[in-house]
Amino acid sequence: MRTPDAFPNLYILDDHPLVVHKLSQIRKKDTPTDLFRRYVRDIASLAGYEATRNIPTLTERIETPLSAMDAVTVDEWNIAIVSVLRAGLSMAEGLHVLLPGAREGHVGVYRDHETKKPVEYYINLPASDTTLFIVADPMLATGSSAIHAVDVINRHGVDDERIRFIGLVAAPEGVRAFHEVHPAIPVYTAALDDRLNE
């Protein structure tokens, strides 16, 4: 995982062979739909592994077949996975593989063809006292949908320190726009492309 000097809160997973392989398969125009979805889920799981590296742990007294012990656990029921509809749904599936007990939320946004601005059409979020919100959206292109989704979560009573963003591909323009508004939110992505095309 690397962090470019220009974007100190961006984490790119392009040093992992499985991530770059699966991303290459997603980029191929002849990849079948079922494999495309599978690769998206897989990359989200791998990115989620990194994005959750420093989450708080608890100690819980458990009974094993041999004896009782103090075990390290994660309160996964206090984590929310928020997919930006519809594109983030497959990513959310991959994150739920890691955190099957995590709460689920959705922010529905589409881009107005004339204004190019995000238009909100659906919001369903878990309680605002949830410890961590992981936002899943495959593309951080212009940054406007990601910014809007996080703004919605902020209005729900969640500060940026409790939010992480996971995407598949980012453009420098989108990362810059996102971090101008939400500089404290770490962004995890499989690739940072050269630029945003038309």
PDB file of all heavy atoms in Angstrom, residues 143-169:
ATOM      1  N   GLY A 143     -15.640  13.334  -7.719  1.00  0.00           N
ATOM      2  CA  GLY A 143     -15.726  13.461  -6.273  1.00  0.00           C
ATOM      3  C   GLY A 143     -17.073  13.937  -5.779  1.00  0.00           C
ATOM      4  O   GLY A 143     -17.361  13.873  -4.586  1.00  0.00           O
ATOM      5  N   SER A 144     -17.948  14.392  -6.672  1.00  0.00           N
ATOM      6  CA  SER A 144     -19.204  15.000  -6.225  1.00  0.00           C
ATOM      7  C   SER A 144     -20.149  14.006  -5.557  1.00  0.00           C
ATOM      8  O   SER A 144     -20.777  14.344  -4.544  1.00  0.00           O
ATOM      9  CB  SER A 144     -19.898  15.730  -7.383  1.00  0.00           C
ATOM     10  OG  SER A 144     -20.159  14.850  -8.445  1.00  0.00           O
ATOM     11  N   SER A 145     -20.258  12.789  -6.074  1.00  0.00           N
ATOM     12  CA  SER A 145     -21.146  11.796  -5.440  1.00  0.00           C
ATOM     13  C   SER A 145     -20.606  11.387  -4.074  1.00  0.00           C
ATOM     14  O   SER A 145     -21.368  11.259  -3.110  1.00  0.00           O
ATOM     15  CB  SER A 145     -21.299  10.563  -6.325  1.00  0.00           C
ATOM     16  OG  SER A 145     -21.975  10.892  -7.507  1.00  0.00           O
ATOM     17  N   ALA A 146     -19.303  11.188  -3.988  1.00  0.00           N
ATOM     18  CA  ALA A 146     -18.690  10.806  -2.709  1.00  0.00           C
ATOM     19  C   ALA A 146     -18.845  11.925  -1.686  1.00  0.00           C
ATOM     20  O   ALA A 146     -19.184  11.675  -0.518  1.00  0.00           O
ATOM     21  CB  ALA A 146     -17.213  10.475  -2.910  1.00  0.00           C
ATOM     22  N   ILE A 147     -18.621  13.147  -2.104  1.00  0.00           N
ATOM     23  CA  ILE A 147     -18.791  14.289  -1.197  1.00  0.00           C
ATOM     24  C   ILE A 147     -20.230  14.361  -0.714  1.00  0.00           C
ATOM     25  O   ILE A 147     -20.494  14.529   0.481  1.00  0.00           O
ATOM     26  CB  ILE A 147     -18.382  15.610  -1.896  1.00  0.00           C
ATOM     27  CG1 ILE A 147     -16.872  15.642  -2.129  1.00  0.00           C
ATOM     28  CG2 ILE A 147     -18.835  16.816  -1.080  1.00  0.00           C
ATOM     29  CD1 ILE A 147     -16.417  16.741  -3.088  1.00  0.00           C
ATOM     30  N   HIS A 148     -21.175  14.208  -1.641  1.00  0.00           N
ATOM     31  CA  HIS A 148     -22.588  14.276  -1.269  1.00  0.00           C
ATOM     32  C   HIS A 148     -22.950  13.167  -0.292  1.00  0.00           C
ATOM     33  O   HIS A 148     -23.639  13.410   0.708  1.00  0.00           O
ATOM     34  CB  HIS A 148     -23.482  14.207  -2.509  1.00  0.00           C
ATOM     35  CG  HIS A 148     -24.914  14.447  -2.201  1.00  0.00           C
ATOM     36  ND1 HIS A 148     -25.453  15.710  -2.128  1.00  0.00           N
ATOM     37  CD2 HIS A 148     -25.918  13.588  -1.891  1.00  0.00           C
ATOM     38  CE1 HIS A 148     -26.732  15.614  -1.811  1.00  0.00           C
ATOM     39  NE2 HIS A 148     -27.038  14.337  -1.661  1.00  0.00           N
ATOM     40  N   ALA A 149     -22.477  11.935  -0.560  1.00  0.00           N
ATOM     41  CA  ALA A 149     -22.787  10.814   0.334  1.00  0.00           C
ATOM     42  C   ALA A 149     -22.259  11.069   1.738  1.00  0.00           C
ATOM     43  O   ALA A 149     -22.955  10.831   2.735  1.00  0.00           O
ATOM     44  CB  ALA A 149     -22.205   9.514  -0.236  1.00  0.00           C
ATOM     45  N   VAL A 150     -21.042  11.574   1.837  1.00  0.00           N
ATOM     46  CA  VAL A 150     -20.467  11.868   3.153  1.00  0.00           C
ATOM     47  C   VAL A 150     -21.201  13.039   3.812  1.00  0.00           C
ATOM     48  O   VAL A 150     -21.443  13.021   5.026  1.00  0.00           O
ATOM     49  CB  VAL A 150     -18.949  12.132   3.045  1.00  0.00           C
ATOM     50  CG1 VAL A 150     -18.397  12.662   4.361  1.00  0.00           C
ATOM     51  CG2 VAL A 150     -18.222  10.849   2.643  1.00  0.00           C
ATOM     52  N   ASP A 151     -21.583  14.035   3.025  1.00  0.00           N
ATOM     53  CA  ASP A 151     -22.370  15.143   3.584  1.00  0.00           C
ATOM     54  C   ASP A 151     -23.670  14.638   4.197  1.00  0.00           C
ATOM     55  O   ASP A 151     -24.096  15.105   5.257  1.00  0.00           O
ATOM     56  CB  ASP A 151     -22.680  16.184   2.504  1.00  0.00           C
ATOM     57  CG  ASP A 151     -21.467  17.006   2.083  1.00  0.00           C
ATOM     58  OD1 ASP A 151     -20.436  16.963   2.796  1.00  0.00           O
ATOM     59  OD2 ASP A 151     -21.558  17.686   1.039  1.00  0.00           O
ATOM     60  N   VAL A 152     -24.304  13.675   3.538  1.00  0.00           N
ATOM     61  CA  VAL A 152     -25.539  13.082   4.066  1.00  0.00           C
ATOM     62  C   VAL A 152     -25.257  12.407   5.407  1.00  0.00           C
ATOM     63  O   VAL A 152     -26.010  12.567   6.374  1.00  0.00           O
ATOM     64  CB  VAL A 152     -26.131  12.067   3.055  1.00  0.00           C
ATOM     65  CG1 VAL A 152     -27.203  11.206   3.701  1.00  0.00           C
ATOM     66  CG2 VAL A 152     -26.681  12.790   1.836  1.00  0.00           C
ATOM     67  N   ILE A 153     -24.167  11.662   5.477  1.00  0.00           N
ATOM     68  CA  ILE A 153     -23.805  10.973   6.726  1.00  0.00           C
ATOM     69  C   ILE A 153     -23.479  12.000   7.813  1.00  0.00           C
ATOM     70  O   ILE A 153     -23.862  11.829   8.973  1.00  0.00           O
ATOM     71  CB  ILE A 153     -22.639   9.993   6.475  1.00  0.00           C
ATOM     72  CG1 ILE A 153     -23.087   8.893   5.511  1.00  0.00           C
ATOM     73  CG2 ILE A 153     -22.140   9.390   7.780  1.00  0.00           C
ATOM     74  CD1 ILE A 153     -21.967   8.022   4.982  1.00  0.00           C
ATOM     75  N   ASN A 154     -22.800  13.084   7.438  1.00  0.00           N
ATOM     76  CA  ASN A 154     -22.530  14.173   8.396  1.00  0.00           C
ATOM     77  C   ASN A 154     -23.827  14.757   8.944  1.00  0.00           C
ATOM     78  O   ASN A 154     -23.956  14.976  10.158  1.00  0.00           O
ATOM     79  CB  ASN A 154     -21.734  15.298   7.746  1.00  0.00           C
ATOM     80  CG  ASN A 154     -20.289  14.954   7.441  1.00  0.00           C
ATOM     81  OD1 ASN A 154     -19.674  15.569   6.572  1.00  0.00           O
ATOM     82  ND2 ASN A 154     -19.699  13.997   8.136  1.00  0.00           N
ATOM     83  N   ARG A 155     -24.793  15.006   8.057  1.00  0.00           N
ATOM     84  CA  ARG A 155     -26.080  15.566   8.494  1.00  0.00           C
ATOM     85  C   ARG A 155     -26.818  14.603   9.422  1.00  0.00           C
ATOM     86  O   ARG A 155     -27.652  15.011  10.219  1.00  0.00           O
ATOM     87  CB  ARG A 155     -26.966  15.899   7.286  1.00  0.00           C
ATOM     88  CG  ARG A 155     -26.514  17.105   6.509  1.00  0.00           C
ATOM     89  CD  ARG A 155     -27.584  17.635   5.565  1.00  0.00           C
ATOM     90  NE  ARG A 155     -28.185  16.639   4.701  1.00  0.00           N
ATOM     91  CZ  ARG A 155     -27.785  16.371   3.456  1.00  0.00           C
ATOM     92  NH1 ARG A 155     -26.754  17.026   2.930  1.00  0.00           N
ATOM     93  NH2 ARG A 155     -28.405  15.466   2.737  1.00  0.00           N
ATOM     94  N   HIS A 156     -26.488  13.338   9.312  1.00  0.00           N
ATOM     95  CA  HIS A 156     -27.081  12.295  10.157  1.00  0.00           C
ATOM     96  C   HIS A 156     -26.464  12.296  11.562  1.00  0.00           C
ATOM     97  O   HIS A 156     -26.901  11.564  12.434  1.00  0.00           O
ATOM     98  CB  HIS A 156     -26.882  10.943   9.466  1.00  0.00           C
ATOM     99  CG  HIS A 156     -27.580   9.788  10.083  1.00  0.00           C
ATOM    100  ND1 HIS A 156     -28.950   9.696  10.168  1.00  0.00           N
ATOM    101  CD2 HIS A 156     -27.099   8.659  10.656  1.00  0.00           C
ATOM    102  CE1 HIS A 156     -29.276   8.562  10.762  1.00  0.00           C
ATOM    103  NE2 HIS A 156     -28.172   7.918  11.071  1.00  0.00           N
ATOM    104  N   GLY A 157     -25.427  13.121  11.759  1.00  0.00           N
ATOM    105  CA  GLY A 157     -24.811  13.244  13.075  1.00  0.00           C
ATOM    106  C   GLY A 157     -23.489  12.525  13.234  1.00  0.00           C
ATOM    107  O   GLY A 157     -23.025  12.295  14.348  1.00  0.00           O
ATOM    108  N   VAL A 158     -22.848  12.186  12.118  1.00  0.00           N
ATOM    109  CA  VAL A 158     -21.585  11.442  12.148  1.00  0.00           C
ATOM    110  C   VAL A 158     -20.468  12.369  11.672  1.00  0.00           C
ATOM    111  O   VAL A 158     -20.543  12.915  10.568  1.00  0.00           O
ATOM    112  CB  VAL A 158     -21.655  10.192  11.246  1.00  0.00           C
ATOM    113  CG1 VAL A 158     -20.343   9.423  11.283  1.00  0.00           C
ATOM    114  CG2 VAL A 158     -22.830   9.308  11.649  1.00  0.00           C
ATOM    115  N   ASP A 159     -19.427  12.537  12.493  1.00  0.00           N
ATOM    116  CA  ASP A 159     -18.320  13.395  12.075  1.00  0.00           C
ATOM    117  C   ASP A 159     -17.337  12.624  11.195  1.00  0.00           C
ATOM    118  O   ASP A 159     -17.344  11.397  11.149  1.00  0.00           O
ATOM    119  CB  ASP A 159     -17.615  14.022  13.285  1.00  0.00           C
ATOM    120  CG  ASP A 159     -17.120  12.994  14.288  1.00  0.00           C
ATOM    121  OD1 ASP A 159     -16.618  11.929  13.863  1.00  0.00           O
ATOM    122  OD2 ASP A 159     -17.221  13.250  15.491  1.00  0.00           O
ATOM    123  N   ASP A 160     -16.497  13.372  10.473  1.00  0.00           N
ATOM    124  CA  ASP A 160     -15.578  12.773   9.505  1.00  0.00           C
ATOM    125  C   ASP A 160     -14.590  11.793  10.138  1.00  0.00           C
ATOM    126  O   ASP A 160     -14.107  10.878   9.464  1.00  0.00           O
ATOM    127  CB  ASP A 160     -14.804  13.867   8.759  1.00  0.00           C
ATOM    128  CG  ASP A 160     -15.646  14.545   7.675  1.00  0.00           C
ATOM    129  OD1 ASP A 160     -16.822  14.162   7.498  1.00  0.00           O
ATOM    130  OD2 ASP A 160     -15.117  15.460   7.011  1.00  0.00           O
ATOM    131  N   GLU A 161     -14.267  11.961  11.407  1.00  0.00           N
ATOM    132  CA  GLU A 161     -13.305  11.078  12.060  1.00  0.00           C
ATOM    133  C   GLU A 161     -13.828   9.643  12.177  1.00  0.00           C
ATOM    134  O   GLU A 161     -13.053   8.718  12.409  1.00  0.00           O
ATOM    135  CB  GLU A 161     -12.938  11.619  13.445  1.00  0.00           C
ATOM    136  CG  GLU A 161     -12.007  12.826  13.411  1.00  0.00           C
ATOM    137  CD  GLU A 161     -12.657  14.095  12.880  1.00  0.00           C
ATOM    138  OE1 GLU A 161     -13.906  14.247  13.021  1.00  0.00           O
ATOM    139  OE2 GLU A 161     -11.944  14.928  12.309  1.00  0.00           O
ATOM    140  N   ARG A 162     -15.131   9.454  11.998  1.00  0.00           N
ATOM    141  CA  ARG A 162     -15.719   8.109  12.077  1.00  0.00           C
ATOM    142  C   ARG A 162     -16.092   7.553  10.701  1.00  0.00           C
ATOM    143  O   ARG A 162     -16.868   6.610  10.602  1.00  0.00           O
ATOM    144  CB  ARG A 162     -16.960   8.133  12.980  1.00  0.00           C
ATOM    145  CG  ARG A 162     -16.621   8.373  14.439  1.00  0.00           C
ATOM    146  CD  ARG A 162     -17.838   8.158  15.324  1.00  0.00           C
ATOM    147  NE  ARG A 162     -18.781   9.239  15.181  1.00  0.00           N
ATOM    148  CZ  ARG A 162     -20.112   9.089  15.238  1.00  0.00           C
ATOM    149  NH1 ARG A 162     -20.641   7.912  15.424  1.00  0.00           N
ATOM    150  NH2 ARG A 162     -20.903  10.135  15.108  1.00  0.00           N
ATOM    151  N   ILE A 163     -15.520   8.123   9.643  1.00  0.00           N
ATOM    152  CA  ILE A 163     -15.862   7.704   8.283  1.00  0.00           C
ATOM    153  C   ILE A 163     -14.592   7.311   7.534  1.00  0.00           C
ATOM    154  O   ILE A 163     -13.562   7.961   7.657  1.00  0.00           O
ATOM    155  CB  ILE A 163     -16.588   8.837   7.528  1.00  0.00           C
ATOM    156  CG1 ILE A 163     -17.881   9.229   8.263  1.00  0.00           C
ATOM    157  CG2 ILE A 163     -16.897   8.430   6.093  1.00  0.00           C
ATOM    158  CD1 ILE A 163     -18.565  10.459   7.693  1.00  0.00           C
ATOM    159  N   ARG A 164     -14.703   6.240   6.732  1.00  0.00           N
ATOM    160  CA  ARG A 164     -13.639   5.837   5.803  1.00  0.00           C
ATOM    161  C   ARG A 164     -14.286   5.582   4.449  1.00  0.00           C
ATOM    162  O   ARG A 164     -15.432   5.135   4.392  1.00  0.00           O
ATOM    163  CB  ARG A 164     -12.920   4.582   6.300  1.00  0.00           C
ATOM    164  CG  ARG A 164     -12.209   4.869   7.616  1.00  0.00           C
ATOM    165  CD  ARG A 164     -11.525   3.698   8.207  1.00  0.00           C
ATOM    166  NE  ARG A 164     -11.114   4.072   9.571  1.00  0.00           N
ATOM    167  CZ  ARG A 164     -10.562   3.245  10.414  1.00  0.00           C
ATOM    168  NH1 ARG A 164     -10.323   2.013  10.073  1.00  0.00           N
ATOM    169  NH2 ARG A 164     -10.226   3.662  11.625  1.00  0.00           N
ATOM    170  N   PHE A 165     -13.555   5.850   3.397  1.00  0.00           N
ATOM    171  CA  PHE A 165     -14.084   5.697   2.042  1.00  0.00           C
ATOM    172  C   PHE A 165     -13.280   4.627   1.309  1.00  0.00           C
ATOM    173  O   PHE A 165     -12.051   4.666   1.323  1.00  0.00           O
ATOM    174  CB  PHE A 165     -14.010   7.028   1.280  1.00  0.00           C
ATOM    175  CG  PHE A 165     -14.598   6.972  -0.099  1.00  0.00           C
ATOM    176  CD1 PHE A 165     -15.930   7.290  -0.302  1.00  0.00           C
ATOM    177  CD2 PHE A 165     -13.833   6.580  -1.183  1.00  0.00           C
ATOM    178  CE1 PHE A 165     -16.485   7.228  -1.570  1.00  0.00           C
ATOM    179  CE2 PHE A 165     -14.373   6.509  -2.455  1.00  0.00           C
ATOM    180  CZ  PHE A 165     -15.705   6.838  -2.654  1.00  0.00           C
ATOM    181  N   ILE A 166     -13.988   3.707   0.654  1.00  0.00           N
ATOM    182  CA  ILE A 166     -13.333   2.665  -0.137  1.00  0.00           C
ATOM    183  C   ILE A 166     -13.869   2.732  -1.562  1.00  0.00           C
ATOM    184  O   ILE A 166     -15.082   2.735  -1.784  1.00  0.00           O
ATOM    185  CB  ILE A 166     -13.586   1.267   0.453  1.00  0.00           C
ATOM    186  CG1 ILE A 166     -12.938   1.149   1.827  1.00  0.00           C
ATOM    187  CG2 ILE A 166     -13.045   0.190  -0.480  1.00  0.00           C
ATOM    188  CD1 ILE A 166     -13.166  -0.185   2.500  1.00  0.00           C
ATOM    189  N   GLY A 167     -12.948   2.791  -2.529  1.00  0.00           N
ATOM    190  CA  GLY A 167     -13.312   2.774  -3.941  1.00  0.00           C
ATOM    191  C   GLY A 167     -12.432   1.806  -4.701  1.00  0.00           C
ATOM    192  O   GLY A 167     -11.478   1.251  -4.155  1.00  0.00           O
ATOM    193  N   LEU A 168     -12.749   1.619  -5.965  1.00  0.00           N
ATOM    194  CA  LEU A 168     -11.921   0.763  -6.816  1.00  0.00           C
ATOM    195  C   LEU A 168     -10.896   1.587  -7.578  1.00  0.00           C
ATOM    196  O   LEU A 168      -9.728   1.233  -7.645  1.00  0.00           O
ATOM    197  CB  LEU A 168     -12.792  -0.005  -7.818  1.00  0.00           C
ATOM    198  CG  LEU A 168     -13.832  -0.955  -7.247  1.00  0.00           C
ATOM    199  CD1 LEU A 168     -14.620  -1.600  -8.377  1.00  0.00           C
ATOM    200  CD2 LEU A 168     -13.178  -2.007  -6.376  1.00  0.00           C
ATOM    201  N   VAL A 169     -11.367   2.693  -8.165  1.00  0.00           N
ATOM    202  CA  VAL A 169     -10.510   3.535  -8.989  1.00  0.00           C
ATOM    203  C   VAL A 169     -10.776   4.995  -8.620  1.00  0.00           C
ATOM    204  O   VAL A 169     -11.926   5.391  -8.410  1.00  0.00           O
ATOM    205  CB  VAL A 169     -10.805   3.320 -10.496  1.00  0.00           C
ATOM    206  CG1 VAL A 169      -9.961   4.241 -11.356  1.00  0.00           C
ATOM    207  CG2 VAL A 169     -10.564   1.870 -10.883  1.00  0.00           C
TER     208      VAL A 169
END
